[in-house]
Each structure stands twice: as structure tokens, then as C-alpha cells.
Amino acid sequence: MSKIDRAVKLIHAPLSVLPLKLLAVVMALTITGLLMWEPQQFAKDIGGFSAGLAPLMIWATCSAMVFGMGFVPHRWYFQVFFTPYIALPILLYILGLRFL
């Protein structure tokens, strides 16, 4: 186990709690459901799908599902790529745009 791998595991350790994982899954499924149910209305509510927001939303949803289901990638760079530290605030921002 390399130093980078240990550091990444140490950084992600505080997030390995069940309530946060459940919240991640619920937020990802909520966004997915809203998008699949009425795409035009969802796009209108969040201000449209821009070239930056749409890929971020897809990545954050996938990352939240990876994190929420408890899957931990073996390689440290995949753990950094699918980090919930970035994905969860993006999902929270998108849900805030939709519901606030």
C-alpha cells in the first residue's frame, strides 16, 4: 500500500458513515427521478442544461451512487475521481436550484 493510497483512505474515512451514504443515494436517485420524469421541466427549473452543468450532474450522480452503495475502488486515483467531497456539494447545489 503506497503513501498516496493510505492518504486517500485516511481522507475518505470520515465520510464512511451510513447516514451520509444514504443521503448520497437519496440525492442521486432524486435527481435521476426528476430528470427522467419531466426533463424539460427539470431543465427549466435549474436554469437549463449548460455545457458545464450537465456533465457535472452526470458525474456527481454516478459518484454519489458509487459512494452511497459502498463500493470502494481499488486504485487511489479512482477513489479521488469518484470522491464524495466534490460530488455531494454538486448534487446539493442542483437540488437547491430545483427546490429553492
Side-chain angles (χ1 to χ4, degrees):
M1 182 179 277
S2 70
K3 290 182 181 180
I4 297 173
D5 192 35
R6 277 186 286 233
V8 170
K9 286 189 187 310
L10 185 66
I11 290 169
H12 284 108
L15 297 179
S16 294
V17 294
L18 185 61
L20 192 57
K21 289 182 178 188
L22 288 174
L23 178 66
V25 170
V26 167
M27 287 194 314
L29 288 175
T30 301
I31 287 178
T32 303
L34 289 169
L35 180 64
M36 297 304 286
W37 186 262
E38 191 65 46
Q40 286 95 6
Q41 182 64 39
F42 184 67
K44 188 177 111 186
D45 291 343
I46 66 170
F49 293 125
S50 64
L53 185 63
L56 277 177
M57 182 178 64
I58 294 168
W59 171 82
T61 302
C62 294
S63 295
M65 291 303 290
V66 166
F67 167 71
M69 294 309 229
F71 177 72
V72 179
H74 289 286
R75 306 279 186 206
W76 66 267
Y77 42 85
F78 287 124
Q79 291 176 18
V80 171
F81 182 74
F82 291 112
T83 184
Y85 281 112
I86 300 169
L88 297 181
I90 291 171
L91 292 180
L92 194 60
Y93 172 73
I94 292 170
L95 287 172
L97 287 174
R98 168 61 176 88
F99 290 111
L100 297 180

XYZ file of all heavy atoms in Angstrom:
789
model
N 0.854 -1.172 0.000
C 0.000 0.000 0.000
C 0.905 1.241 0.000
O 1.757 1.408 0.849
C -0.898 -0.023 1.234
C -1.851 1.134 1.286
S -2.927 1.104 2.715
C -4.194 0.013 2.177
N 0.700 2.099 -0.974
C 1.547 3.274 -1.106
C 1.109 4.375 -0.154
O 0.040 4.319 0.464
C 1.501 3.797 -2.546
O 0.229 4.358 -2.799
N 1.947 5.393 -0.037
C 1.626 6.527 0.831
C 0.410 7.291 0.311
O -0.409 7.758 1.093
C 2.821 7.475 0.934
C 3.972 6.924 1.715
C 5.089 7.940 1.811
C 6.256 7.375 2.583
N 7.352 8.348 2.697
N 0.305 7.401 -0.993
C -0.839 8.107 -1.579
C -2.124 7.345 -1.286
O -3.140 7.939 -0.917
C -0.648 8.294 -3.099
C 0.563 9.178 -3.377
C -1.892 8.875 -3.728
C 0.929 9.273 -4.837
N -2.070 6.026 -1.420
C -3.246 5.197 -1.156
C -3.693 5.339 0.298
O -4.884 5.490 0.583
C -2.930 3.743 -1.488
C -4.158 2.873 -1.530
O -5.216 3.367 -1.962
O -4.060 1.694 -1.140
N -2.737 5.315 1.221
C -3.078 5.488 2.639
C -3.650 6.865 2.911
O -4.600 7.014 3.678
C -1.850 5.240 3.508
C -1.605 3.784 3.780
C -0.474 3.654 4.745
N 0.746 3.963 4.003
C 1.810 3.192 3.957
N 1.836 2.092 4.652
N 2.861 3.515 3.243
N -3.089 7.890 2.275
C -3.578 9.246 2.482
C -5.002 9.410 1.968
O -5.841 10.029 2.633
C -2.650 10.247 1.792
N -5.283 8.838 0.806
C -6.636 8.928 0.244
C -7.624 8.193 1.138
O -8.716 8.691 1.415
C -6.659 8.393 -1.206
C -8.068 8.241 -1.710
C -5.869 9.312 -2.115
N -7.255 7.025 1.636
C -8.129 6.282 2.542
C -8.354 7.051 3.829
O -9.469 7.079 4.361
C -7.548 4.906 2.835
C -7.669 3.940 1.685
C -7.279 2.548 2.105
C -7.233 1.588 0.959
N -8.353 1.534 0.093
N -7.339 7.703 4.333
C -7.460 8.496 5.555
C -8.357 9.710 5.348
O -9.174 10.048 6.213
C -6.067 8.946 6.024
C -6.008 9.683 7.350
C -6.419 8.753 8.488
C -4.617 10.224 7.590
N -8.266 10.330 4.196
C -9.101 11.499 3.883
C -10.565 11.095 3.736
O -11.460 11.825 4.167
C -8.588 12.197 2.608
C -7.245 12.875 2.891
C -9.592 13.208 2.081
C -6.531 13.365 1.665
N -10.824 9.937 3.145
C -12.198 9.487 2.931
C -12.809 8.789 4.145
O -14.019 8.560 4.176
C -12.282 8.563 1.718
C -12.217 9.292 0.427
N -11.105 9.243 -0.377
C -13.097 10.092 -0.207
C -11.312 9.977 -1.453
N -12.511 10.513 -1.372
N -12.013 8.451 5.142
C -12.513 7.717 6.309
C -13.644 8.438 7.051
O -14.614 7.791 7.445
C -11.364 7.397 7.258
N -13.590 9.766 7.262
C -14.692 10.414 7.991
C -16.038 10.339 7.272
O -17.084 10.497 7.901
C -14.244 11.870 8.114
C -12.791 11.876 7.877
C -12.498 10.701 7.014
N -16.036 10.113 5.982
C -17.283 10.055 5.226
C -17.923 8.673 5.204
O -19.028 8.521 4.699
C -17.042 10.513 3.783
C -16.595 11.942 3.608
C -16.369 12.238 2.143
C -17.603 12.906 4.193
N -17.257 7.689 5.745
C -17.761 6.313 5.686
C -18.772 6.037 6.793
O -18.624 5.106 7.576
C -16.601 5.327 5.765
O -15.790 5.448 4.632
N -19.804 6.855 6.841
C -20.881 6.648 7.808
C -22.167 6.394 7.041
O -22.391 6.956 5.964
C -21.026 7.852 8.766
C -19.806 7.985 9.649
C -21.269 9.134 8.011
N -23.003 5.544 7.585
C -24.213 5.119 6.894
C -25.167 6.271 6.567
O -25.677 6.327 5.443
C -24.926 4.033 7.699
C -26.150 3.418 7.040
C -25.773 2.743 5.735
C -26.822 2.447 7.981
N -25.429 7.211 7.496
C -26.362 8.293 7.134
C -25.907 9.120 5.934
O -26.726 9.511 5.100
C -26.441 9.148 8.398
C -26.065 8.227 9.505
C -25.063 7.271 8.913
N -24.617 9.365 5.818
C -24.112 10.135 4.686
C -24.212 9.333 3.387
O -24.533 9.891 2.335
C -22.674 10.569 4.938
C -22.102 11.601 3.987
C -22.959 12.866 3.980
C -20.688 11.935 4.364
N -23.991 8.046 3.475
C -24.137 7.203 2.290
C -25.593 7.145 1.840
O -25.886 7.203 0.650
C -23.604 5.800 2.559
C -22.092 5.760 2.665
C -21.603 4.364 2.889
C -20.087 4.350 2.949
N -19.535 3.011 2.982
N -26.506 7.037 2.788
C -27.929 7.046 2.452
C -28.336 8.375 1.834
O -29.109 8.414 0.873
C -28.774 6.750 3.689
C -28.737 5.320 4.206
C -29.502 5.206 5.519
C -29.280 4.358 3.180
N -27.833 9.471 2.385
C -28.125 10.792 1.830
C -27.621 10.898 0.396
O -28.309 11.434 -0.475
C -27.494 11.888 2.694
C -27.676 13.312 2.204
C -29.147 13.710 2.272
C -26.822 14.255 3.019
N -26.441 10.369 0.131
C -25.884 10.410 -1.226
C -26.764 9.643 -2.200
O -27.059 10.132 -3.301
C -24.469 9.836 -1.223
N -27.209 8.465 -1.803
C -28.066 7.666 -2.685
C -29.406 8.357 -2.910
O -29.909 8.419 -4.037
C -28.260 6.245 -2.117
C -29.326 5.491 -2.872
C -26.956 5.478 -2.153
N -29.982 8.915 -1.851
C -31.273 9.593 -1.978
C -31.152 10.813 -2.892
O -32.009 11.039 -3.755
C -31.820 9.986 -0.584
C -32.971 10.960 -0.690
C -32.247 8.743 0.167
N -30.091 11.607 -2.731
C -29.917 12.776 -3.600
C -29.723 12.357 -5.049
O -30.314 12.949 -5.961
C -28.737 13.635 -3.128
C -29.021 14.407 -1.877
S -27.844 15.719 -1.467
C -26.267 14.999 -1.696
N -28.910 11.324 -5.284
C -28.672 10.863 -6.661
C -29.951 10.313 -7.285
O -30.259 10.619 -8.443
C -27.573 9.805 -6.669
N -30.704 9.540 -6.536
C -31.946 8.991 -7.079
C -32.998 10.075 -7.280
O -33.793 9.996 -8.225
C -32.484 7.888 -6.159
C -31.693 6.585 -6.162
C -32.260 5.622 -5.123
C -31.672 5.956 -7.534
N -33.013 11.085 -6.417
C -33.955 12.192 -6.583
C -33.672 12.954 -7.869
O -34.591 13.228 -8.652
C -33.889 13.146 -5.378
O -34.206 12.418 -4.194
C -34.842 14.304 -5.535
N -32.423 13.275 -8.100
C -32.064 13.993 -9.324
C -32.350 13.131 -10.550
O -32.898 13.612 -11.545
C -30.602 14.456 -9.282
C -30.481 15.621 -8.306
C -30.102 14.848 -10.662
C -29.096 16.147 -8.116
N -32.021 11.859 -10.480
C -32.296 10.963 -11.602
C -33.790 10.858 -11.868
O -34.229 10.919 -13.019
C -31.704 9.570 -11.325
O -30.307 9.708 -11.072
C -31.934 8.640 -12.492
N -34.565 10.720 -10.810
C -36.015 10.628 -10.972
C -36.618 11.894 -11.541
O -37.476 11.841 -12.429
N -36.182 13.051 -11.035
C -36.690 14.319 -11.563
C -36.330 14.491 -13.030
O -37.130 14.985 -13.827
C -36.141 15.492 -10.748
C -36.691 15.650 -9.338
C -35.873 16.673 -8.562
C -38.152 16.048 -9.369
N -35.122 14.094 -13.372
C -34.683 14.219 -14.759
C -35.444 13.269 -15.684
O -35.844 13.658 -16.785
C -33.182 13.937 -14.855
C -32.566 14.022 -16.232
C -32.663 15.442 -16.770
C -31.126 13.571 -16.192
N -35.682 12.062 -15.230
C -36.368 11.089 -16.076
C -37.874 11.364 -16.159
O -38.495 11.061 -17.170
C -36.138 9.664 -15.555
C -34.678 9.238 -15.586
S -33.924 9.358 -17.198
C -34.659 7.964 -17.994
N -38.457 11.913 -15.112
C -39.894 12.128 -15.084
C -40.317 13.224 -16.050
O -41.233 13.037 -16.845
C -40.341 12.467 -13.660
C -41.824 12.561 -13.525
C -42.566 13.704 -13.547
C -42.742 11.486 -13.385
N -43.893 13.397 -13.409
C -44.033 12.038 -13.312
C -42.591 10.104 -13.306
C -45.161 11.248 -13.159
C -43.716 9.343 -13.158
C -44.979 9.914 -13.084
N -39.661 14.368 -15.961
C -40.028 15.512 -16.812
C -38.766 16.312 -17.134
O -38.460 17.299 -16.465
C -41.066 16.376 -16.091
C -41.717 17.433 -16.947
C -42.550 16.842 -18.070
O -43.321 15.910 -17.827
O -42.401 17.324 -19.193
N -38.014 15.911 -18.158
C -36.729 16.544 -18.451
C -36.825 18.038 -18.766
O -35.990 18.819 -18.311
C -36.191 15.781 -19.648
C -37.048 14.604 -19.825
C -38.296 14.803 -19.054
N -37.826 18.438 -19.545
C -37.931 19.863 -19.898
C -38.220 20.713 -18.665
O -37.653 21.792 -18.504
C -39.025 20.098 -20.955
C -38.634 19.646 -22.330
C -39.109 18.246 -22.630
O -39.828 17.633 -21.861
N -38.680 17.713 -23.773
N -39.085 20.238 -17.788
C -39.414 20.991 -16.582
C -38.210 21.067 -15.645
O -37.940 22.104 -15.067
C -40.603 20.352 -15.857
C -41.046 21.099 -14.620
C -41.570 22.489 -14.959
O -42.257 22.677 -15.958
N -41.221 23.456 -14.138
N -37.491 19.964 -15.507
C -36.303 19.955 -14.659
C -35.250 20.907 -15.202
O -34.642 21.665 -14.445
C -35.744 18.537 -14.553
C -34.582 18.409 -13.622
C -34.738 18.592 -12.260
C -33.322 18.097 -14.104
C -33.664 18.469 -11.396
C -32.250 17.964 -13.259
C -32.414 18.148 -11.891
N -35.047 20.899 -16.507
C -34.081 21.816 -17.118
C -34.501 23.260 -16.900
O -33.662 24.123 -16.598
C -33.941 21.531 -18.609
N -35.779 23.547 -17.041
C -36.274 24.906 -16.821
C -36.081 25.329 -15.367
O -35.676 26.462 -15.089
C -37.751 24.989 -17.208
C -38.315 26.392 -17.210
C -39.759 26.369 -17.671
C -40.573 26.727 -16.443
N -41.989 26.642 -16.600
N -36.330 24.422 -14.446
C -36.216 24.737 -13.023
C -34.784 25.029 -12.587
O -34.558 25.842 -11.691
C -36.773 23.595 -12.172
C -38.275 23.460 -12.285
O -38.924 24.430 -12.743
O -38.804 22.400 -11.915
N -33.822 24.355 -13.199
C -32.428 24.580 -12.793
C -31.711 25.582 -13.699
O -30.517 25.800 -13.547
C -31.630 23.260 -12.726
C -31.468 22.620 -14.089
C -32.234 22.316 -11.725
C -30.497 21.459 -14.106
N -32.417 26.167 -14.625
C -31.807 27.176 -15.489
C -31.216 26.628 -16.762
O -30.393 27.277 -17.398
N -31.592 25.438 -17.136
C -31.109 24.845 -18.377
C -29.901 23.952 -18.167
O -29.206 24.037 -17.160
N -29.696 23.091 -19.134
C -28.536 22.207 -19.111
C -27.423 22.864 -19.912
O -27.422 22.837 -21.130
C -28.872 20.846 -19.720
C -29.855 20.052 -18.922
C -31.008 19.569 -19.499
C -29.632 19.778 -17.587
C -31.911 18.826 -18.777
C -30.522 19.045 -16.846
C -31.668 18.566 -17.441
N -26.487 23.451 -19.232
C -25.363 24.074 -19.921
C -24.295 23.017 -20.203
O -24.373 21.890 -19.729
C -24.782 25.198 -19.060
O -24.253 24.663 -17.866
N -23.290 23.424 -20.948
C -22.199 22.507 -21.286
C -21.384 22.128 -20.059
O -20.681 21.112 -20.055
C -21.295 23.130 -22.338
N -21.464 22.917 -19.003
C -20.739 22.599 -17.778
C -21.587 21.860 -16.767
O -21.114 20.959 -16.078
N -22.853 22.252 -16.649
C -23.712 21.688 -15.613
C -24.130 20.251 -15.908
O -24.143 19.409 -15.007
C -24.954 22.560 -15.416
C -25.886 22.153 -14.286
C -25.170 22.250 -12.949
C -27.126 23.003 -14.287
N -24.461 19.941 -17.134
C -24.938 18.600 -17.470
C -23.875 17.520 -17.205
O -24.177 16.524 -16.540
C -25.419 18.548 -18.913
N -22.641 17.673 -17.677
C -21.636 16.642 -17.357
C -21.337 16.553 -15.863
O -21.124 15.467 -15.335
C -20.390 17.076 -18.132
C -20.882 17.972 -19.192
C -22.111 18.633 -18.656
N -21.330 17.711 -15.168
C -21.109 17.676 -13.723
C -22.228 16.938 -13.012
O -21.984 16.197 -12.054
C -20.995 19.094 -13.164
C -19.643 19.761 -13.261
C -19.711 21.183 -12.726
C -18.588 18.971 -12.525
N -23.456 17.134 -13.460
C -24.589 16.457 -12.852
C -24.498 14.941 -13.072
O -24.725 14.163 -12.145
C -25.897 16.984 -13.427
C -27.126 16.363 -12.807
S -28.661 17.020 -13.452
C -28.581 16.503 -15.147
N -24.134 14.530 -14.260
C -23.990 13.103 -14.554
C -22.866 12.501 -13.729
O -23.015 11.447 -13.107
C -23.753 12.879 -16.062
C -24.989 13.286 -16.852
C -23.370 11.428 -16.351
C -24.760 13.387 -18.340
N -21.713 13.196 -13.680
C -20.580 12.691 -12.904
C -20.911 12.630 -11.418
O -20.607 11.630 -10.745
C -19.351 13.583 -13.132
C -18.247 13.240 -12.196
C -17.336 12.235 -12.336
C -17.975 13.854 -10.944
N -16.509 12.204 -11.245
C -16.879 13.192 -10.379
C -18.555 14.908 -10.245
C -16.350 13.544 -9.147
C -18.030 15.269 -9.017
C -16.933 14.591 -8.480
N -21.552 13.677 -10.883
C -21.873 13.712 -9.459
C -22.885 12.631 -9.099
O -22.784 12.018 -8.035
C -22.405 15.093 -9.075
N -23.839 12.387 -9.975
C -24.819 11.331 -9.725
C -24.139 9.967 -9.710
O -24.392 9.150 -8.813
C -25.928 11.368 -10.792
O -26.541 12.658 -10.771
C -26.978 10.311 -10.536
N -23.277 9.720 -10.661
C -22.550 8.446 -10.696
C -21.630 8.297 -9.484
O -21.570 7.236 -8.856
C -21.728 8.330 -11.977
S -22.733 8.216 -13.464
N -20.940 9.365 -9.132
C -20.043 9.322 -7.979
C -20.805 9.102 -6.689
O -20.350 8.364 -5.803
C -19.245 10.625 -7.882
O -18.387 10.759 -8.976
N -21.960 9.733 -6.554
C -22.765 9.547 -5.346
C -23.275 8.120 -5.242
O -23.348 7.563 -4.142
C -23.931 10.535 -5.332
N -23.628 7.528 -6.361
C -24.073 6.132 -6.331
C -22.919 5.194 -5.987
O -23.097 4.252 -5.211
C -24.698 5.738 -7.667
C -26.015 6.409 -7.949
S -27.265 6.124 -6.693
C -27.629 4.415 -6.960
N -21.745 5.457 -6.532
C -20.568 4.644 -6.202
C -20.288 4.746 -4.709
O -20.088 3.737 -4.023
C -19.339 5.094 -7.028
C -18.056 4.523 -6.470
C -19.505 4.689 -8.482
N -20.296 5.958 -4.182
C -20.034 6.170 -2.759
C -21.163 5.602 -1.899
O -20.925 4.919 -0.909
C -19.857 7.671 -2.487
C -19.889 8.025 -1.036
C -18.848 7.676 -0.191
C -20.967 8.714 -0.504
C -18.883 7.997 1.148
C -21.008 9.048 0.833
C -19.966 8.681 1.666
N -22.389 5.898 -2.261
C -23.528 5.507 -1.445
C -23.741 4.010 -1.363
O -24.206 3.503 -0.342
N -23.416 3.300 -2.402
C -23.583 1.851 -2.391
C -22.431 1.147 -1.669
O -22.464 -0.059 -1.480
C -23.696 1.315 -3.814
C -24.940 1.790 -4.501
S -26.354 1.488 -3.480
C -27.426 0.709 -4.596
N -21.426 1.910 -1.295
C -20.329 1.340 -0.522
C -19.201 0.763 -1.344
O -18.300 0.119 -0.813
N -19.218 0.987 -2.643
C -18.142 0.490 -3.492
C -16.921 1.373 -3.311
O -17.000 2.589 -3.391
C -18.567 0.495 -4.959
C -17.488 0.061 -5.895
C -17.098 -1.263 -5.948
C -16.860 0.970 -6.712
C -16.093 -1.668 -6.808
C -15.858 0.578 -7.576
C -15.471 -0.748 -7.622
N -15.788 0.768 -3.022
C -14.532 1.500 -2.875
C -13.581 0.993 -3.951
O -13.141 -0.160 -3.915
C -13.905 1.286 -1.484
C -12.595 2.044 -1.359
C -14.874 1.704 -0.391
N -13.258 1.846 -4.932
C -12.342 1.408 -5.990
C -10.971 1.017 -5.411
O -10.522 1.572 -4.411
C -12.213 2.651 -6.888
C -13.436 3.452 -6.596
C -13.769 3.192 -5.172
N -10.313 0.082 -6.050
C -9.019 -0.393 -5.559
C -7.914 0.638 -5.765
O -7.053 0.794 -4.903
C -8.623 -1.701 -6.258
C -9.464 -2.861 -5.836
N -9.327 -3.470 -4.618
C -10.462 -3.515 -6.473
C -10.203 -4.443 -4.516
N -10.913 -4.502 -5.648
N -7.925 1.310 -6.855
C -6.861 2.265 -7.170
C -7.172 3.623 -6.555
O -8.307 4.088 -6.597
C -6.702 2.424 -8.676
C -6.499 1.144 -9.409
C -5.074 0.715 -9.326
N -4.900 -0.462 -10.192
C -3.973 -1.343 -9.981
N -3.156 -1.218 -8.986
N -3.859 -2.371 -10.776
N -6.141 4.280 -6.038
C -6.341 5.554 -5.350
C -6.841 6.640 -6.288
O -7.627 7.494 -5.893
C -5.064 6.004 -4.645
C -3.928 6.335 -5.581
C -2.948 5.514 -6.004
C -3.683 7.593 -6.204
N -2.108 6.151 -6.859
C -2.527 7.444 -7.002
C -4.310 8.820 -6.190
C -2.008 8.477 -7.756
C -3.789 9.857 -6.931
C -2.648 9.678 -7.708
N -6.435 6.612 -7.558
C -6.851 7.671 -8.479
C -8.334 7.555 -8.823
O -8.980 8.568 -9.072
C -5.985 7.713 -9.742
C -5.642 6.382 -10.359
C -6.503 5.762 -11.243
C -4.447 5.750 -10.039
C -6.184 4.541 -11.809
C -4.121 4.524 -10.598
C -4.996 3.923 -11.482
O -4.690 2.716 -12.034
N -8.890 6.342 -8.792
C -10.334 6.216 -8.977
C -11.079 6.677 -7.724
O -12.168 7.217 -7.807
C -10.729 4.788 -9.340
C -10.371 4.403 -10.737
C -9.590 3.295 -10.983
C -10.818 5.148 -11.819
C -9.255 2.928 -12.280
C -10.490 4.795 -13.113
C -9.700 3.680 -13.343
N -10.490 6.443 -6.562
C -11.092 6.935 -5.328
C -11.129 8.464 -5.317
O -12.101 9.061 -4.866
C -10.320 6.441 -4.114
C -10.454 4.962 -3.879
C -9.610 4.476 -2.727
O -9.173 5.257 -1.893
N -9.387 3.182 -2.680
N -10.091 9.092 -5.833
C -10.067 10.550 -5.933
C -11.058 11.024 -6.991
O -11.771 12.011 -6.796
C -8.633 11.050 -6.242
C -8.617 12.528 -6.562
C -7.707 10.745 -5.077
N -11.133 10.313 -8.110
C -12.047 10.710 -9.180
C -13.504 10.637 -8.734
O -14.308 11.495 -9.080
C -11.830 9.828 -10.426
C -12.694 10.210 -11.581
C -12.413 11.347 -12.315
C -13.795 9.455 -11.935
C -13.213 11.729 -13.382
C -14.604 9.816 -13.000
C -14.309 10.964 -13.723
N -13.854 9.607 -7.970
C -15.237 9.434 -7.511
C -15.431 9.959 -6.084
O -16.260 9.444 -5.349
C -15.636 7.956 -7.572
C -15.768 7.427 -8.965
C -14.881 6.496 -9.457
C -16.789 7.864 -9.793
C -15.004 5.997 -10.745
C -16.917 7.381 -11.088
C -16.023 6.444 -11.553
N -14.700 10.977 -5.703
C -14.765 11.474 -4.337
C -16.110 12.116 -4.012
O -16.640 12.896 -4.799
C -13.622 12.470 -4.060
O -13.683 12.840 -2.687
C -13.718 13.705 -4.917
N -16.669 11.788 -2.857
C -17.918 12.415 -2.448
C -17.727 13.850 -1.969
O -18.697 14.596 -1.846
C -18.421 11.509 -1.327
C -17.217 10.824 -0.816
C -16.279 10.705 -1.966
N -16.501 14.239 -1.687
C -16.235 15.612 -1.251
C -16.632 16.634 -2.309
O -16.975 17.764 -1.992
C -14.754 15.799 -0.892
C -14.384 15.258 0.461
C -13.560 14.148 0.577
C -14.857 15.855 1.618
C -13.206 13.647 1.815
C -14.519 15.352 2.858
C -13.687 14.256 2.951
O -13.351 13.768 4.184
N -16.569 16.263 -3.564
C -16.954 17.166 -4.645
C -18.351 16.830 -5.156
O -19.144 17.718 -5.465
C -15.924 17.090 -5.793
C -14.544 17.491 -5.279
C -16.331 17.992 -6.951
C -13.420 17.211 -6.241
N -18.680 15.550 -5.220
C -19.958 15.126 -5.801
C -21.155 15.569 -4.962
O -22.155 16.047 -5.515
C -19.971 13.615 -5.972
N -21.079 15.422 -3.654
C -22.232 15.754 -2.820
C -22.574 17.242 -2.839
O -23.758 17.592 -2.935
C -22.015 15.245 -1.398
C -21.902 13.720 -1.269
C -21.710 13.315 0.178
C -23.092 13.020 -1.876
N -21.606 18.158 -2.779
C -21.980 19.579 -2.911
C -22.587 19.917 -4.268
O -23.480 20.769 -4.354
C -20.663 20.327 -2.699
C -19.842 19.414 -1.879
C -20.222 18.026 -2.332
N -22.138 19.255 -5.329
C -22.729 19.499 -6.650
C -24.187 19.049 -6.661
O -25.063 19.772 -7.149
C -21.913 18.787 -7.754
C -20.552 19.460 -7.913
C -22.668 18.783 -9.083
C -19.598 18.711 -8.806
N -24.469 17.874 -6.117
C -25.850 17.404 -6.055
C -26.703 18.316 -5.182
O -27.853 18.613 -5.519
C -25.902 15.969 -5.522
C -25.323 14.883 -6.415
C -25.444 13.529 -5.737
C -25.973 14.874 -7.765
N -26.150 18.759 -4.086
C -26.875 19.680 -3.207
C -27.169 20.992 -3.918
O -28.266 21.543 -3.799
C -26.056 19.926 -1.935
C -26.757 20.578 -0.778
C -27.930 19.744 -0.322
C -25.782 20.792 0.352
N -26.229 21.477 -4.695
C -26.421 22.706 -5.477
C -27.542 22.530 -6.507
O -28.416 23.389 -6.642
C -25.111 23.095 -6.162
C -25.237 24.229 -7.133
C -25.425 25.534 -6.687
C -25.180 24.005 -8.504
C -25.549 26.584 -7.579
C -25.298 25.042 -9.400
C -25.482 26.333 -8.930
O -25.603 27.371 -9.821
N -27.529 21.410 -7.215
C -28.554 21.165 -8.238
C -29.931 21.019 -7.592
O -30.919 21.569 -8.079
C -28.186 19.932 -9.085
C -26.949 20.247 -9.927
C -29.351 19.513 -9.984
C -26.339 19.054 -10.613
N -29.996 20.307 -6.473
C -31.273 20.194 -5.771
C -31.728 21.534 -5.225
O -32.916 21.831 -5.191
C -31.176 19.155 -4.652
C -31.132 17.707 -5.108
C -30.851 16.788 -3.927
C -32.425 17.315 -5.796
N -30.781 22.355 -4.794
C -31.117 23.699 -4.345
C -31.678 24.545 -5.472
O -32.632 25.322 -5.271
N -31.094 24.429 -6.651
C -31.636 25.142 -7.808
C -33.066 24.696 -8.109
O -33.910 25.496 -8.491
C -30.771 24.900 -9.049
C -29.423 25.586 -9.119
C -28.672 25.100 -10.354
C -29.559 27.079 -9.127
N -33.321 23.423 -7.950
C -34.639 22.875 -8.285
C -35.700 23.225 -7.254
O -36.817 23.585 -7.600
C -34.515 21.355 -8.433
C -35.830 20.585 -8.497
C -36.678 20.999 -9.667
N -37.878 20.215 -9.786
C -39.035 20.490 -9.178
N -39.145 21.515 -8.384
N -40.078 19.719 -9.394
N -35.356 23.128 -5.967
C -36.380 23.264 -4.941
C -36.419 24.629 -4.258
O -37.348 24.902 -3.515
C -36.221 22.177 -3.880
C -36.575 20.816 -4.397
C -35.607 19.845 -4.583
C -37.878 20.502 -4.725
C -35.934 18.590 -5.062
C -38.222 19.259 -5.215
C -37.246 18.301 -5.378
N -35.431 25.457 -4.447
C -35.434 26.779 -3.794
C -35.760 27.896 -4.737
O -35.841 27.933 -5.831
C -34.093 27.057 -3.131
C -33.724 26.113 -2.000
C -32.367 26.499 -1.439
C -34.736 26.137 -0.883
